[in-house]
Coordinates of all heavy atoms in Angstrom, one line a residue:
M1 N -12.9 3.7 -13.1 CA -12.4 3.3 -11.8 C -10.8 3.4 -11.8 O -10.2 3.0 -12.7 CB -12.8 1.8 -11.6 CG -12.7 1.3 -10.2 SD -13.2 -0.4 -10.0 CE -14.9 -0.4 -10.5
P2 N -10.3 3.9 -10.7 CA -8.8 4.0 -10.6 C -8.1 2.7 -10.8 O -8.5 1.6 -10.3 CB -8.5 4.5 -9.2 CG -9.8 5.1 -8.8 CD -10.9 4.4 -9.4
R3 N -7.0 2.7 -11.6 CA -6.2 1.5 -11.8 C -4.9 1.7 -11.0 O -4.2 2.7 -11.0 CB -5.8 1.4 -13.3 CG -7.0 0.9 -14.2 CD -6.7 1.1 -15.6 NE -6.7 2.6 -15.9 CZ -5.6 3.2 -16.4 NH1 -4.5 2.5 -16.8 NH2 -5.6 4.5 -16.5
I4 N -4.6 0.7 -10.2 CA -3.4 0.7 -9.4 C -2.5 -0.4 -9.9 O -2.9 -1.5 -10.1 CB -3.8 0.4 -7.9 CG1 -4.9 1.4 -7.4 CG2 -2.6 0.4 -7.0 CD1 -4.5 2.8 -7.3
E5 N -1.2 -0.1 -10.0 CA -0.2 -1.0 -10.4 C 0.5 -1.6 -9.2 O 1.1 -0.8 -8.4 CB 0.8 -0.4 -11.3 CG 0.5 -0.5 -12.7 CD 1.6 0.1 -13.6 OE1 2.8 0.3 -13.1 OE2 1.3 0.5 -14.7
Y6 N 0.5 -2.8 -9.0 CA 1.2 -3.5 -7.9 C 2.4 -4.2 -8.4 O 2.3 -5.1 -9.2 CB 0.3 -4.5 -7.2 CG -1.0 -4.0 -6.5 CD1 -2.1 -3.7 -7.2 CD2 -0.9 -3.7 -5.2 CE1 -3.3 -3.2 -6.6 CE2 -2.1 -3.2 -4.5 CZ -3.2 -2.9 -5.2 OH -4.3 -2.4 -4.6
V7 N 3.6 -3.7 -7.9 CA 4.8 -4.4 -8.2 C 5.0 -5.5 -7.1 O 5.1 -5.2 -5.9 CB 6.0 -3.5 -8.3 CG1 7.3 -4.3 -8.6 CG2 5.8 -2.3 -9.2
L8 N 4.9 -6.7 -7.5 CA 4.8 -7.9 -6.6 C 6.2 -8.2 -6.1 O 7.2 -7.9 -6.8 CB 4.1 -9.0 -7.2 CG 2.7 -8.7 -7.8 CD1 2.1 -9.9 -8.5 CD2 1.8 -8.2 -6.6
P9 N 6.3 -8.9 -5.0 CA 7.7 -9.3 -4.5 C 8.5 -10.1 -5.5 O 9.7 -10.0 -5.4 CB 7.3 -10.2 -3.2 CG 6.0 -9.6 -2.8 CD 5.3 -9.3 -4.0
D10 N 7.9 -10.8 -6.4 CA 8.7 -11.6 -7.4 C 9.1 -10.7 -8.6 O 9.6 -11.2 -9.6 CB 7.9 -12.8 -7.8 CG 6.7 -12.5 -8.7 OD1 6.4 -11.3 -8.9 OD2 6.0 -13.4 -9.1
G11 N 8.7 -9.4 -8.5 CA 9.1 -8.5 -9.6 C 8.0 -8.4 -10.7 O 8.1 -7.5 -11.5
G12 N 7.0 -9.2 -10.6 CA 5.9 -9.1 -11.6 C 5.1 -7.9 -11.3 O 5.1 -7.4 -10.2
V13 N 4.4 -7.4 -12.3 CA 3.5 -6.2 -12.1 C 2.1 -6.6 -12.5 O 1.8 -7.3 -13.5 CB 4.0 -5.1 -13.1 CG1 3.1 -3.8 -12.9 CG2 5.4 -4.7 -12.8
H14 N 1.2 -6.3 -11.5 CA -0.2 -6.6 -11.7 C -1.0 -5.3 -11.6 O -0.9 -4.6 -10.7 CB -0.7 -7.6 -10.7 CG -2.1 -8.1 -11.0 ND1 -2.4 -9.2 -11.6 CD2 -3.3 -7.5 -10.7 CE1 -3.7 -9.4 -11.7 NE2 -4.3 -8.3 -11.1
E15 N -1.8 -5.0 -12.7 CA -2.7 -3.8 -12.6 C -4.1 -4.3 -12.2 O -4.6 -5.2 -12.7 CB -2.7 -3.2 -14.0 CG -3.4 -1.9 -14.0 CD -3.4 -1.2 -15.4 OE1 -2.4 -0.6 -15.7 OE2 -4.4 -1.4 -16.1
A16 N -4.6 -3.5 -11.2 CA -6.0 -3.9 -10.7 C -6.8 -2.6 -10.7 O -6.3 -1.5 -10.4 CB -5.9 -4.5 -9.3
E17 N -8.1 -2.8 -11.0 CA -9.0 -1.7 -10.9 C -9.6 -1.7 -9.5 O -10.1 -2.8 -9.0 CB -10.2 -1.8 -11.9 CG -9.7 -1.6 -13.3 CD -10.9 -1.4 -14.3 OE1 -12.0 -1.8 -13.9 OE2 -10.6 -0.7 -15.3
V18 N -9.4 -0.6 -8.7 CA -9.9 -0.6 -7.3 C -10.8 0.6 -7.2 O -10.4 1.7 -7.5 CB -8.7 -0.5 -6.4 CG1 -9.1 -0.6 -4.9 CG2 -7.6 -1.5 -6.7
P19 N -12.0 0.4 -6.7 CA -12.9 1.5 -6.5 C -12.4 2.6 -5.5 O -11.8 2.2 -4.5 CB -14.2 0.8 -6.0 CG -14.0 -0.6 -6.2 CD -12.6 -0.9 -6.2
S20 N -12.7 3.8 -5.8 CA -12.4 4.9 -4.9 C -13.1 4.6 -3.5 O -14.2 4.0 -3.5 CB -13.0 6.2 -5.4 OG -12.3 6.6 -6.5
G21 N -12.4 4.9 -2.5 CA -12.9 4.6 -1.1 C -12.3 3.4 -0.5 O -12.3 3.2 0.7
Q22 N -11.8 2.5 -1.4 CA -11.1 1.3 -0.9 C -9.7 1.6 -0.7 O -9.1 2.5 -1.3 CB -11.3 0.1 -1.8 CG -12.7 -0.5 -1.8 CD -12.7 -1.8 -2.6 OE1 -11.7 -2.4 -3.0 NE2 -13.9 -2.3 -2.8
S23 N -9.0 0.8 0.2 CA -7.6 1.0 0.4 C -6.7 0.2 -0.6 O -7.2 -0.7 -1.3 CB -7.2 0.6 1.8 OG -7.3 -0.8 1.9
V24 N -5.5 0.6 -0.7 CA -4.6 -0.2 -1.6 C -4.5 -1.6 -1.1 O -4.4 -2.5 -1.9 CB -3.2 0.5 -1.6 CG1 -2.1 -0.3 -2.2 CG2 -3.3 1.9 -2.3
M25 N -4.5 -1.8 0.2 CA -4.5 -3.1 0.8 C -5.8 -3.9 0.3 O -5.6 -5.1 -0.2 CB -4.5 -3.1 2.3 CG -4.6 -4.4 3.0 SD -6.3 -5.0 3.2 CE -6.8 -4.2 4.7
E26 N -6.9 -3.3 0.4 CA -8.2 -4.0 0.0 C -8.1 -4.4 -1.5 O -8.5 -5.5 -1.9 CB -9.4 -3.2 0.3 CG -9.7 -3.1 1.7 CD -10.8 -2.1 2.0 OE1 -10.7 -0.9 1.6 OE2 -11.8 -2.4 2.7
G27 N -7.5 -3.5 -2.3 CA -7.4 -3.8 -3.7 C -6.6 -5.0 -4.0 O -6.9 -5.8 -4.9
S28 N -5.5 -5.2 -3.2 CA -4.6 -6.3 -3.3 C -5.3 -7.6 -2.9 O -5.4 -8.6 -3.6 CB -3.4 -6.1 -2.5 OG -2.6 -7.3 -2.5
V29 N -5.9 -7.6 -1.7 CA -6.6 -8.8 -1.2 C -7.7 -9.2 -2.1 O -7.9 -10.4 -2.4 CB -7.1 -8.5 0.3 CG1 -8.0 -9.6 0.8 CG2 -5.9 -8.3 1.2
R30 N -8.6 -8.3 -2.5 CA -9.7 -8.6 -3.3 C -9.3 -9.2 -4.7 O -10.1 -9.8 -5.3 CB -10.6 -7.4 -3.5 CG -11.4 -7.1 -2.2 CD -12.1 -5.8 -2.2 NE -12.5 -5.4 -0.9 CZ -13.8 -5.1 -0.5 NH1 -14.7 -5.1 -1.4 NH2 -14.0 -4.8 0.7
N31 N -8.1 -8.9 -5.1 CA -7.7 -9.4 -6.4 C -6.7 -10.6 -6.2 O -6.1 -11.1 -7.1 CB -7.0 -8.3 -7.2 CG -8.0 -7.3 -7.8 OD1 -8.6 -7.6 -8.8 ND2 -8.1 -6.2 -7.2
N32 N -6.7 -11.1 -4.9 CA -5.9 -12.3 -4.6 C -4.4 -12.1 -5.0 O -3.8 -13.1 -5.5 CB -6.5 -13.5 -5.3 CG -7.8 -13.9 -4.7 OD1 -8.0 -13.8 -3.5 ND2 -8.8 -14.2 -5.6
L33 N -3.9 -10.9 -4.8 CA -2.5 -10.7 -5.2 C -1.6 -11.2 -4.0 O -2.0 -11.0 -2.9 CB -2.2 -9.3 -5.5 CG -3.1 -8.7 -6.6 CD1 -2.6 -7.2 -6.9 CD2 -2.9 -9.5 -7.9
P34 N -0.4 -11.7 -4.3 CA 0.5 -12.1 -3.2 C 1.2 -11.0 -2.7 O 1.3 -9.9 -3.3 CB 1.4 -13.1 -4.0 CG 1.5 -12.6 -5.4 CD 0.1 -12.0 -5.7
G35 N 1.7 -11.1 -1.4 CA 2.6 -10.1 -0.9 C 2.0 -9.2 0.2 O 2.8 -8.8 1.1
I36 N 0.7 -8.9 0.1 CA 0.1 -8.1 1.2 C -0.7 -9.1 2.0 O -1.7 -9.6 1.6 CB -0.7 -7.0 0.6 CG1 0.2 -5.9 0.0 CG2 -1.5 -6.3 1.7 CD1 -0.4 -4.7 -0.5
V37 N -0.3 -9.3 3.3 CA -1.0 -10.3 4.1 C -2.1 -9.7 4.9 O -3.2 -10.3 5.0 CB 0.1 -10.9 5.1 CG1 -0.6 -11.9 6.0 CG2 1.2 -11.5 4.4
A38 N -2.0 -8.5 5.3 CA -3.1 -7.8 6.0 C -3.6 -8.5 7.2 O -4.9 -8.7 7.3 CB -4.1 -7.4 5.0
E39 N -2.8 -9.0 8.0 CA -3.2 -9.8 9.2 C -4.2 -9.1 10.1 O -5.1 -9.8 10.6 CB -1.9 -10.1 10.1 CG -1.7 -11.5 10.4 CD -0.2 -11.7 10.8 OE1 0.2 -11.0 11.8 OE2 0.4 -12.6 10.2
C40 N -4.1 -7.8 10.3 CA -5.0 -7.2 11.2 C -6.3 -6.7 10.5 O -7.1 -6.1 11.2 CB -4.3 -6.0 11.9 SG -4.1 -4.5 10.9
G41 N -6.4 -6.9 9.3 CA -7.6 -6.5 8.5 C -7.7 -5.0 8.3 O -8.8 -4.6 7.9
G42 N -6.6 -4.3 8.5 CA -6.7 -2.9 8.1 C -6.8 -1.9 9.3 O -7.0 -0.8 9.1
S43 N -6.5 -2.4 10.5 CA -6.6 -1.5 11.6 C -5.3 -0.9 12.1 O -5.1 -0.5 13.2 CB -7.3 -2.3 12.8 OG -6.5 -3.4 13.2
C44 N -4.3 -0.9 11.2 CA -3.0 -0.2 11.4 C -2.3 -0.8 12.6 O -1.8 0.0 13.5 CB -3.3 1.3 11.5 SG -1.8 2.3 11.3
S45 N -2.3 -2.1 12.7 CA -1.6 -2.6 13.9 C -0.7 -3.8 13.6 O 0.0 -4.4 14.5 CB -2.6 -3.0 15.0 OG -3.5 -4.0 14.5
C46 N -0.6 -4.3 12.3 CA 0.3 -5.4 12.0 C 1.5 -5.2 11.1 O 2.5 -5.9 11.2 CB -0.6 -6.5 11.4 SG -1.1 -6.2 9.7
A47 N 1.4 -4.2 10.3 CA 2.4 -3.8 9.3 C 2.7 -4.9 8.3 O 3.8 -4.9 7.7 CB 3.7 -3.4 10.0
T48 N 1.8 -5.9 8.1 CA 2.0 -6.9 7.0 C 1.3 -6.4 5.7 O 1.1 -7.2 4.8 CB 1.4 -8.3 7.4 OG1 0.0 -8.1 7.6 CG2 2.1 -8.8 8.7
C49 N 1.2 -5.1 5.6 CA 0.7 -4.5 4.3 C 1.6 -3.5 3.9 O 1.3 -2.5 3.2 CB -0.7 -4.0 4.5 SG -0.7 -2.6 5.7
H50 N 2.9 -3.7 4.2 CA 4.0 -2.7 3.9 C 4.2 -2.6 2.4 O 4.4 -3.6 1.7 CB 5.2 -3.3 4.6 CG 6.4 -2.4 4.6 ND1 7.6 -2.7 5.3 CD2 6.6 -1.1 4.1 CE1 8.5 -1.7 5.1 NE2 7.9 -0.8 4.4
V51 N 4.2 -1.4 1.9 CA 4.5 -1.1 0.5 C 5.4 0.1 0.4 O 5.5 0.9 1.4 CB 3.2 -0.8 -0.3 CG1 2.3 -2.0 -0.4 CG2 2.4 0.4 0.3
Y52 N 6.0 0.3 -0.7 CA 6.8 1.4 -1.0 C 6.1 2.3 -2.1 O 5.6 1.7 -3.1 CB 8.2 1.0 -1.5 CG 9.0 0.1 -0.6 CD1 9.3 -1.2 -0.9 CD2 9.3 0.6 0.7 CE1 9.9 -2.0 -0.1 CE2 10.0 -0.3 1.6 CZ 10.3 -1.6 1.2 OH 11.0 -2.4 2.1
V53 N 6.0 3.6 -1.9 CA 5.3 4.5 -2.8 C 6.2 5.7 -3.0 O 6.6 6.4 -2.0 CB 4.0 4.9 -2.1 CG1 3.1 5.7 -3.1 CG2 3.2 3.7 -1.6
D54 N 6.5 6.0 -4.3 CA 7.4 7.1 -4.5 C 6.7 8.5 -4.1 O 5.4 8.5 -4.0 CB 7.9 7.1 -5.9 CG 6.9 7.5 -7.0 OD1 6.0 8.3 -6.7 OD2 7.0 7.0 -8.1
E55 N 7.5 9.5 -4.0 CA 7.0 10.8 -3.5 C 5.8 11.4 -4.3 O 4.8 11.8 -3.7 CB 8.2 11.8 -3.6 CG 8.1 12.8 -2.5 CD 9.4 13.7 -2.5 OE1 10.5 13.1 -2.5 OE2 9.2 14.9 -2.5
A56 N 5.9 11.3 -5.6 CA 4.8 11.9 -6.4 C 3.5 11.1 -6.2 O 2.4 11.7 -6.1 CB 5.2 11.8 -7.9
A57 N 3.6 9.8 -6.0 CA 2.4 9.1 -5.8 C 1.9 9.3 -4.4 O 0.7 9.3 -4.1 CB 2.7 7.6 -6.0
Q58 N 2.8 9.4 -3.4 CA 2.4 9.6 -2.0 C 1.6 10.9 -1.9 O 0.7 11.0 -1.0 CB 3.6 9.7 -1.1 CG 4.3 8.4 -0.9 CD 4.7 8.2 0.6 OE1 4.1 8.7 1.5 NE2 5.7 7.4 0.8
A59 N 1.9 11.9 -2.7 CA 1.1 13.2 -2.6 C -0.4 13.0 -3.0 O -1.2 13.8 -2.7 CB 1.7 14.2 -3.6
K60 N -0.7 11.9 -3.6 CA -2.1 11.6 -3.9 C -2.9 11.0 -2.8 O -4.1 10.7 -2.9 CB -2.2 10.7 -5.2 CG -1.5 11.4 -6.3 CD -1.5 10.6 -7.6 CE -0.9 11.5 -8.7 NZ -1.0 10.9 -10.0
F61 N -2.2 10.6 -1.7 CA -2.9 10.0 -0.6 C -2.7 10.9 0.6 O -1.9 11.8 0.7 CB -2.2 8.7 -0.2 CG -2.3 7.6 -1.3 CD1 -1.3 7.4 -2.2 CD2 -3.5 6.9 -1.4 CE1 -1.4 6.5 -3.2 CE2 -3.6 5.9 -2.4 CZ -2.6 5.7 -3.3
D62 N -3.5 10.7 1.7 CA -3.4 11.4 2.9 C -2.0 11.1 3.5 O -1.5 10.0 3.3 CB -4.5 11.0 3.9 CG -5.8 11.7 3.6 OD1 -5.8 12.6 2.7 OD2 -6.8 11.3 4.2
E63 N -1.5 12.0 4.3 CA -0.2 11.8 4.9 C -0.3 10.7 6.0 O -1.4 10.5 6.5 CB 0.3 13.1 5.6 CG 1.0 14.0 4.6 CD 1.6 15.2 5.3 OE1 2.0 15.1 6.5 OE2 1.6 16.3 4.7
A64 N 0.8 10.1 6.3 CA 0.8 9.0 7.3 C 0.4 9.6 8.7 O 0.9 10.7 9.0 CB 2.1 8.3 7.4
S65 N -0.4 8.9 9.4 CA -0.7 9.3 10.8 C 0.5 8.9 11.7 O 1.4 8.2 11.3 CB -1.9 8.5 11.3 OG -1.6 7.1 11.3
D66 N 0.5 9.5 12.9 CA 1.6 9.1 13.9 C 1.6 7.6 14.1 O 2.7 7.0 14.2 CB 1.4 9.9 15.2 CG 1.7 11.4 15.1 OD1 2.2 11.8 14.0 OD2 1.3 12.1 16.0
E67 N 0.4 7.1 14.2 CA 0.3 5.6 14.5 C 1.0 4.8 13.3 O 1.8 3.9 13.6 CB -1.2 5.3 14.5 CG -1.5 4.0 15.2 CD -3.1 3.8 15.1 OE1 -3.8 4.6 14.4 OE2 -3.5 2.9 15.8
E68 N 0.7 5.2 12.1 CA 1.3 4.5 11.0 C 2.9 4.7 10.9 O 3.6 3.7 10.8 CB 0.7 5.0 9.6 CG 1.3 4.3 8.4 CD 0.8 4.9 7.1 OE1 -0.2 5.6 7.1 OE2 1.4 4.6 6.1
R69 N 3.3 5.9 11.2 CA 4.7 6.2 11.2 C 5.5 5.3 12.2 O 6.5 4.8 12.0 CB 5.0 7.7 11.5 CG 4.9 8.6 10.4 CD 5.4 10.0 10.8 NE 4.4 11.0 10.4 CZ 4.3 11.6 9.2 NH1 5.2 11.3 8.3 NH2 3.4 12.4 9.0
E70 N 4.9 5.3 13.4 CA 5.5 4.5 14.5 C 5.6 3.0 14.2 O 6.6 2.4 14.4 CB 4.7 4.7 15.8 CG 5.1 6.0 16.5 CD 4.1 6.3 17.6 OE1 3.5 5.4 18.2 OE2 4.0 7.5 17.9
L71 N 4.5 2.5 13.6 CA 4.5 1.1 13.2 C 5.6 0.8 12.1 O 6.3 -0.2 12.2 CB 3.1 0.7 12.7 CG 2.7 -0.7 12.7 CD1 2.9 -1.4 14.1 CD2 1.2 -0.8 12.4
L72 N 5.7 1.7 11.2 CA 6.7 1.6 10.1 C 8.1 1.6 10.6 O 9.0 0.9 10.1 CB 6.4 2.6 9.0 CG 5.3 2.3 8.1 CD1 5.0 3.5 7.2 CD2 5.7 1.1 7.2
E73 N 8.3 2.5 11.6 CA 9.6 2.7 12.2 C 10.2 1.3 12.6 O 11.5 1.1 12.5 CB 9.5 3.6 13.4 CG 10.7 4.4 13.7 CD 10.4 5.4 14.8 OE1 9.5 6.2 14.6 OE2 11.1 5.3 15.8
F74 N 9.4 0.5 13.1 CA 9.9 -0.8 13.6 C 9.7 -2.0 12.6 O 9.9 -3.1 12.9 CB 9.2 -1.1 14.9 CG 9.5 -0.1 16.0 CD1 8.5 0.8 16.4 CD2 10.7 -0.1 16.6 CE1 8.8 1.8 17.3 CE2 11.0 0.9 17.6 CZ 10.1 1.8 17.9
S75 N 9.3 -1.6 11.4 CA 9.1 -2.7 10.4 C 10.4 -3.0 9.7 O 11.2 -2.2 9.3 CB 8.1 -2.2 9.4 OG 6.8 -2.0 10.0
E76 N 10.5 -4.3 9.4 CA 11.6 -4.8 8.6 C 11.6 -4.2 7.2 O 10.5 -4.1 6.6 CB 11.5 -6.3 8.5 CG 12.8 -7.0 8.2 CD 12.6 -8.5 8.0 OE1 11.6 -9.1 8.5 OE2 13.4 -9.1 7.3
G77 N 12.7 -3.7 6.8 CA 12.8 -3.2 5.4 C 12.3 -1.8 5.3 O 12.0 -1.3 4.2
A78 N 12.1 -1.1 6.4 CA 11.5 0.3 6.3 C 12.4 1.2 5.6 O 13.6 1.2 5.8 CB 11.2 0.8 7.7
R79 N 11.8 2.1 4.8 CA 12.5 3.1 4.0 C 11.8 4.4 4.1 O 10.6 4.4 4.5 CB 12.6 2.7 2.5 CG 13.2 1.3 2.3 CD 13.5 1.0 0.9 NE 12.6 1.5 -0.1 CZ 12.4 0.9 -1.3 NH1 13.0 -0.2 -1.7 NH2 11.5 1.5 -2.2
P80 N 12.4 5.5 3.6 CA 11.6 6.8 3.7 C 10.3 6.7 2.9 O 9.4 7.5 3.2 CB 12.6 7.8 3.0 CG 14.0 7.2 3.3 CD 13.8 5.7 3.2
D81 N 10.3 5.9 1.9 CA 9.0 5.8 1.0 C 8.1 4.7 1.5 O 7.2 4.3 0.7 CB 9.4 5.7 -0.4 CG 10.2 4.4 -0.8 OD1 10.7 3.8 0.2 OD2 10.4 4.1 -1.9
S82 N 8.3 4.2 2.7 CA 7.4 3.1 3.2 C 6.0 3.7 3.6 O 5.9 4.8 4.1 CB 8.0 2.5 4.4 OG 9.1 1.7 4.1
R83 N 5.0 2.9 3.3 CA 3.7 3.2 3.8 C 3.0 1.9 4.1 O 3.4 0.8 3.7 CB 2.8 3.9 2.7 CG 3.3 5.3 2.3 CD 3.1 6.3 3.4 NE 1.8 6.4 4.1 CZ 0.9 7.3 3.8 NH1 1.1 8.2 2.9 NH2 -0.3 7.2 4.4
L84 N 1.9 2.0 4.9 CA 1.0 0.8 5.1 C -0.2 0.9 4.2 O -0.9 1.9 4.1 CB 0.6 0.8 6.6 CG 1.7 0.6 7.6 CD1 1.1 0.7 9.0 CD2 2.4 -0.7 7.4
A85 N -0.3 -0.1 3.4 CA -1.3 -0.1 2.3 C -2.7 0.0 2.8 O -3.6 0.6 2.1 CB -1.2 -1.4 1.4
C86 N -3.0 -0.4 4.0 CA -4.4 -0.3 4.5 C -4.7 1.2 4.9 O -5.9 1.5 5.1 CB -4.6 -1.2 5.8 SG -3.6 -0.7 7.2
Q87 N -3.7 2.0 4.9 CA -3.9 3.4 5.3 C -4.0 4.3 4.0 O -4.1 5.5 4.1 CB -2.9 4.0 6.2 CG -2.8 3.1 7.5 CD -4.1 3.1 8.3 OE1 -4.6 4.1 8.6 NE2 -4.6 1.9 8.5
L88 N -3.8 3.7 2.8 CA -3.8 4.4 1.6 C -5.1 4.3 0.9 O -5.4 3.3 0.3 CB -2.7 3.9 0.7 CG -1.2 4.0 1.2 CD1 -0.3 3.2 0.3 CD2 -0.8 5.4 1.3
I89 N -6.0 5.3 1.1 CA -7.3 5.2 0.6 C -7.3 5.8 -0.8 O -6.9 7.0 -1.0 CB -8.3 6.0 1.5 CG1 -8.2 5.5 3.0 CG2 -9.7 5.9 1.0 CD1 -8.5 4.0 3.1
I90 N -7.9 5.1 -1.7 CA -7.8 5.4 -3.1 C -8.9 6.4 -3.5 O -10.1 6.3 -3.0 CB -8.0 4.1 -4.0 CG1 -6.7 3.3 -3.8 CG2 -8.2 4.5 -5.4 CD1 -6.9 1.9 -4.2
T91 N -8.5 7.4 -4.3 CA -9.5 8.4 -4.9 C -9.3 8.3 -6.4 O -8.3 7.7 -6.8 CB -9.3 9.8 -4.4 OG1 -8.0 10.2 -4.8 CG2 -9.3 9.9 -2.8
D92 N -10.1 9.0 -7.1 CA -10.0 9.1 -8.6 C -8.6 9.6 -9.0 O -8.1 9.2 -10.0 CB -11.1 9.9 -9.2 CG -12.4 9.2 -9.1 OD1 -12.5 8.0 -8.8 OD2 -13.5 9.8 -9.3
A93 N -8.0 10.5 -8.1 CA -6.7 11.1 -8.5 C -5.6 10.0 -8.4 O -4.5 10.3 -8.9 CB -6.4 12.2 -7.5
C94 N -5.9 8.8 -7.9 CA -4.9 7.8 -7.8 C -4.7 6.9 -9.0 O -3.9 6.0 -9.0 CB -5.2 6.9 -6.5 SG -5.2 7.8 -5.0
D95 N -5.5 7.2 -10.0 CA -5.4 6.4 -11.2 C -4.0 6.3 -11.8 O -3.4 7.4 -11.9 CB -6.4 7.0 -12.3 CG -6.5 6.1 -13.5 OD1 -6.6 4.9 -13.3 OD2 -6.5 6.6 -14.6
G96 N -3.5 5.1 -12.0 CA -2.2 4.9 -12.5 C -1.1 4.9 -11.5 O 0.1 4.7 -11.8
V97 N -1.4 5.0 -10.2 CA -0.4 5.0 -9.2 C 0.3 3.6 -9.1 O -0.4 2.6 -9.3 CB -1.0 5.3 -7.8 CG1 -0.2 4.7 -6.6 CG2 -1.1 6.8 -7.6
R98 N 1.6 3.6 -8.9 CA 2.3 2.3 -8.7 C 2.8 2.1 -7.3 O 3.4 3.0 -6.7 CB 3.5 2.3 -9.7 CG 4.5 1.2 -9.5 CD 5.6 1.3 -10.6 NE 5.2 0.7 -11.8 CZ 5.9 -0.1 -12.5 NH1 7.2 -0.4 -12.2 NH2 5.5 -0.6 -13.7
V99 N 2.5 1.0 -6.7 CA 3.0 0.7 -5.4 C 3.9 -0.6 -5.5 O 3.6 -1.5 -6.2 CB 1.9 0.5 -4.3 CG1 1.0 1.7 -4.2 CG2 1.1 -0.7 -4.6
T100 N 5.0 -0.6 -4.7 CA 5.8 -1.8 -4.7 C 5.6 -2.5 -3.4 O 5.8 -1.9 -2.3 CB 7.3 -1.3 -4.8 OG1 7.5 -0.7 -6.1 CG2 8.2 -2.6 -4.8
V101 N 5.2 -3.7 -3.5 CA 4.9 -4.5 -2.3 C 6.2 -5.0 -1.6 O 7.1 -5.6 -2.3 CB 4.0 -5.7 -2.6 CG1 3.7 -6.6 -1.4 CG2 2.7 -5.2 -3.3
A102 N 6.4 -4.7 -0.3 CA 7.6 -5.1 0.4 C 7.6 -6.6 0.4 O 6.6 -7.3 0.5 CB 7.7 -4.5 1.8
D103 N 8.8 -7.2 0.4 CA 8.9 -8.7 0.4 C 9.1 -9.2 1.8 O 9.5 -10.3 2.1 CB 9.9 -9.3 -0.6 CG 11.3 -8.8 -0.2 OD1 11.5 -8.2 0.9 OD2 12.3 -9.1 -1.0
T104 N 8.7 -8.4 2.8 CA 8.9 -8.7 4.2 C 7.6 -8.9 4.9 O 7.6 -8.9 6.2 CB 9.8 -7.6 4.9 OG1 9.2 -6.3 4.6 CG2 11.2 -7.6 4.4
N105 N 6.5 -9.0 4.2 CA 5.2 -9.0 4.8 C 4.8 -10.4 5.4 O 3.8 -10.6 6.0 CB 4.1 -8.5 3.9 CG 4.2 -7.0 3.6 OD1 4.6 -6.3 4.5 ND2 3.9 -6.6 2.4
G106 N 5.7 -11.3 5.3 CA 5.4 -12.7 5.8 C 5.1 -13.6 4.7 O 4.6 -14.7 4.8
Ligands
FES201 S1 -3.4 -4.5 7.4 FE1 -2.5 -4.5 9.4 S2 -1.4 -2.6 9.4 FE2 -2.3 -2.6 7.4

């Protein structure tokens, strides 16, 4: 099962096993990790699942949709490497990926 490393807002790192087909957001919520609020439940409308993902890791996920890009544009703390964790669907290729949880998720 793919292992995802979550760098938490307090700087701690938590590794979680997340089944392929689930999102990075679901992996966080199901492991009770702090920092990803996921208010909208994954429907790409709240941006409280904001994470930073470096370029190499981003290549392992589908590109951001226009909807995701627009939402991120208006998000606090947005950077070029910003993504919404609910839109990052995990595959076996994502094993070892590290995501940094934004500290602006509420
Ligand atoms: S959970 Fe709401 S946008 Fe990701």
Side-chain angles (χ1 to χ4, degrees):
M1 198 182 296
R3 284 162 298 120
I4 306 295
E5 269 184 18
Y6 294 86
V7 181
L8 305 175
D10 69 1
V13 180
H14 186 98
E15 189 177 275
E17 291 195 335
V18 187
S20 291
Q22 286 189 10
S23 68
V24 170
M25 176 278 273
E26 286 171 308
S28 172
V29 169
R30 285 170 196 234
N31 285 283
N32 294 317
L33 303 182
I36 292 183
V37 179
E39 233 163 53
C40 76
S43 59
C44 198
S45 60
C46 72
T48 62
C49 63
H50 188 178
V51 294
Y52 304 115
V53 186
D54 72 33
E55 211 174 309
Q58 287 223 27
K60 300 182 177 187
F61 296 97
D62 282 349
E63 279 187 29
S65 63
D66 290 346
E67 203 182 6
E68 180 183 346
R69 276 187 232 274
E70 278 165 29
L71 201 51
L72 280 168
E73 210 173 300
F74 298 104
S75 297
E76 202 185 334
R79 305 191 322 208
D81 58 348
S82 290
R83 292 295 309 260
L84 294 177
C86 67
Q87 304 302 301
L88 298 173
I89 305 301
I90 292 163
T91 64
D92 289 346
C94 299
D95 188 41
V97 154
R98 168 179 278 225
V99 303
T100 300
V101 178
D103 63 6
T104 50
N105 287 326

